[in-house]
Amino acid sequence: LRRGDHCTIAVKVVRAVSPTFDWVTSWLSRHGFCVVYHHFVVLDDVDSVDDAGIPRTSSGKIVQVLEHTNTCREGLVTITEMASRRWYRWVPCAIEFILDKAQCQPVALAEYGDMPCLFLLEQTLSDSDREEVLVRAEAMVKRNVTYNLFTNNCEHTVTAVCTGEAASPQVPVIFSDLAMLAVRSAALACLAVMSPRHLRPWSPAAAPSGQRLGIWAALCYAL
């Protein structure tokens, strides 16, 4: 990996809670079971990996990446600090935190050491292009832009740093998947309502012809 590289990993809300859970999530993404990915940009050239599995530069510095991120532990600490340890402020502070739950910050690439599947977006970058990426990354950190799942998520941040234009092709995919899930859920609900309750086991063939047509239509939508 080199500075300026745009990388992705399987998205997981509870990252860094369990190394085994991280590994399993990453493995599932390799086989296409993950449709949403977390994005980050590499800030240093990887020269070697030490005995502890930590990527380092030629000078021995720990390789860092830039991302809009947070972990469960960091989130709990943040909410606790926001609430000033007063229990009755936890709910409003938690809601406020969710609206801006992630920070745009450099973190060690080694934090993803438990995730074996890391994906690199193919792109052709010259040395000057990579330097421009680092300049935009530094500016992004200074701006401290508020996180928003739909308008300024990790993908927006990284594409803005890598190309100069913020974009997140995943957002329309998420909305499309949610819409399809809603349609299928409604179809299954209709199927349950129209099915004869007195038949055990139930069979579509046993329903009246008009009801049977509606049942098959709902089943087709659900599938």
Side-chain angles (χ1 to χ4, degrees), residues 23 62 88:
W23 188 93
I62 295 177
Y88 57 86

Side-chain angles (χ1 to χ4, degrees), residues 10-220:
V11 90
K12 185 166 75 66
V13 177
V14 290
R15 178 177 70 84
V17 170
S18 167
T20 302
F21 198 11
D22 287 346
W23 188 93
V24 170
T25 303
S26 183
W27 182 85
L28 289 174
S29 71
R30 179 180 181 181
H31 297 280
F33 290 99
C34 178
V35 296
V36 181
Y37 292 85
H38 176 63
H39 295 247
F40 61 82
V41 58
V42 182
L43 299 179
D44 303 293
D45 291 337
V46 178
D47 180 73
S48 61
V49 178
D50 65 18
D51 295 338
I54 299 176
R56 295 186 179 274
T57 66
S58 57
S59 63
K61 172 188 171 185
I62 295 177
V63 174
Q64 291 190 313
V65 301
L66 177 71
E67 58 182 0
H68 238 133
T69 186
N70 216 330
T71 64
C72 290
R73 291 190 182 95
E74 293 169 345
L76 288 174
V77 170
T78 301
I79 295 174
T80 301
E81 293 176 349
M82 292 170 62
S84 301
R85 300 185 180 277
R86 297 184 178 92
W87 64 268
Y88 57 86
R89 294 191 57 192
W90 263 71
V91 172
C93 288
I95 295 174
E96 182 181 350
F97 170 77
I98 290 173
L99 297 176
D100 185 17
K101 69 180 183 65
Q103 302 296 319
C104 182
Q105 59 188 341
V107 301
L109 176 59
E111 286 200 9
Y112 295 103
D114 295 320
M115 306 188 73
C117 300
L118 184 151
F119 304 96
L120 172 65
L121 273 65
E122 291 187 357
Q123 52 187 346
T124 302
L125 296 176
S126 64
D127 288 340
S128 60
D129 292 334
R130 295 182 186 278
E131 291 302 324
E132 288 182 11
V133 170
L134 296 185
V135 170
R136 286 195 289 263
E138 184 178 356
M140 183 68 71
V141 173
K142 291 180 179 179
R143 286 172 56 196
N144 192 26
V145 181
T146 300
Y147 178 90
N148 184 286
L149 178 61
F150 300 112
T151 62
N152 191 50
N153 59 37
C154 62
E155 189 174 18
H156 286 103
T157 298
V158 174
T159 54
V161 168
C162 291
T163 67
E165 296 183 4
S168 181
Q170 287 189 113
V171 171
V173 174
I174 293 174
F175 277 119
S176 175
D177 288 346
L178 290 176
M180 183 59 67
L181 177 62
V183 170
R184 289 177 175 176
S185 299
L188 288 173
C190 291
L191 186 63
V193 170
M194 291 186 295
S195 62
R197 298 179 182 276
H198 64 281
L199 295 178
R200 296 292 187 272
W202 173 79
S203 170
S209 58
Q211 189 182 49
R212 187 162 60 243
L213 179 61
I215 291 172
W216 282 117
L219 185 59
C220 288

